[in-house]
Amino acid sequence: MLVVGPNGAGKTNLLESLHVGTQGFSPRTRNDANLIRFGREGARIALHGNRAGSLVELNVVLQVGAAKRASLNGARLQAAEQLRGEVATLVFTPDRLVVVKGGPAARRAYFDRALGRGTPTQAALPAEYGAALAQRNASLRGISLGYSTREALRPWTERVADLGAKLVAARRDAIAALEPLFAARAGELGLADAALRYEADSPSAESLEARLERDLDRGATGAGPHLDDVEILAGARDLRTFGSQG
């Protein structure tokens, strides 16, 4: 389907509503109030479709000053974002070029979301690692300020090492699964030899202990998957630098 119309006709609003109705959130804003028409108190998105021969009905209700509500086939969901586990939707807008042109954090976030969608049982892994990392960093700062001890740090070091190794392995699997699909689609667009490359060392408690003094000096964990990057390549060219934006 091709949607055409003059500027301001609502083309972007239509696409945004499809994303909200199938994923439970907007790709453009995290403030749900911005999705409601000016001067109105609420909005509703209702979608009907067919999945594997069965009818699917999705509803998302937005109200000013209240949490959004969502239902799937008439059953209320605990959170609207649960829709993303039921219906696959891909959006590409000009600001998504940040995945290629932006810094490593944008790519980590993008591929971690892809990891969660491809393997829902591991969807929480990046957040769990991030929470453990925050605790370890807080403990590092506490030691430097004199109100924590190295003994108190050790469990968080082990937790960060364990979850970090699992996250590195999960990312490797996800990117290995995505790479042939990426190469095929890129080839259709005339981009030969496209590839994704993720080279990362799995953290261990021993490697984190070995750099403990440096981490204490900086008050943060200086190694692990929170600092990794995914290279997006065409042959030997890094598309972050040499890719066309057309």
Side-chain angles (χ1 to χ4, degrees):
M1 180 177 68
L2 179 64
V3 180
V4 297
N7 287 342
K11 301 184 297 296
T12 301
N13 288 348
L14 173 62
L15 297 177
E16 185 176 24
S17 68
L18 289 172
H19 193 279
V20 175
T22 58
Q23 303 297 288
F25 65 96
S26 167
R28 305 174 69 211
T29 178
R30 288 296 180 263
N31 185 352
D32 292 335
N34 291 342
L35 303 176
I36 299 173
R37 180 177 294 181
F38 293 124
R40 300 296 179 89
E41 293 298 314
R44 175 173 174 262
I45 300 165
L47 301 175
H48 302 266
N50 185 292
R51 180 174 60 181
S54 299
L55 294 177
V56 178
E57 181 179 322
L58 310 169
N59 278 278
V60 176
V61 177
L62 306 165
Q63 285 186 303
V64 174
K68 61 178 174 280
R69 306 190 308 274
S71 64
L72 171 64
N73 294 332
R76 175 81 177 269
L77 300 177
Q78 290 184 340
E81 286 75 9
Q82 287 179 266
L83 289 170
R84 66 196 301 181
E86 300 290 339
V87 182
T89 299
L90 177 65
V91 62
F92 185 85
T93 55
D95 59 351
R96 292 302 175 96
L97 284 173
V98 71
V99 175
V100 178
K101 304 293 289 185
R107 284 181 289 282
R108 287 194 300 269
Y110 183 85
F111 285 104
D112 283 347
R113 288 195 297 271
L115 159 66
R117 293 189 180 191
T119 312
T121 56
Q122 295 181 316
L125 186 54
E128 291 173 354
Y129 173 78
L133 179 68
Q135 291 286 355
R136 184 176 193 268
N137 289 344
S139 188
L140 287 168
R141 293 189 291 271
I143 293 171
S144 298
L145 294 172
Y147 60 79
S148 188
T149 66
R150 297 188 180 214
E151 289 72 24
L153 174 68
R154 189 165 293 112
W156 291 116
T157 296
E158 294 173 354
R159 179 72 170 159
V160 165
D162 177 56
L163 290 172
K166 290 178 180 176
L167 180 55
V168 168
R171 283 178 178 171
R172 284 174 178 158
D173 290 343
I175 290 169
L178 289 171
E179 184 175 29
L181 303 174
F182 169 70
R185 299 292 85 77
E188 292 173 0
L189 296 173
L191 189 64
D193 301 321
L196 302 173
R197 185 164 63 196
Y198 177 61
E199 297 179 348
D201 295 324
S202 295
S204 66
E206 293 75 19
S207 65
L208 291 174
E209 288 287 353
R211 58 168 297 115
L212 178 56
E213 297 304 322
R214 283 175 287 171
D215 286 354
L216 285 170
D217 287 342
R218 66 200 301 266
T221 304
H226 59 289
L227 299 173
D228 291 344
D229 197 1
V230 178
E231 292 182 277
I232 304 176
L233 307 167
R237 291 176 296 159
D238 185 341
L239 293 180
R240 180 175 55 180
T241 303
F242 298 104
S244 169
Q245 297 191 51

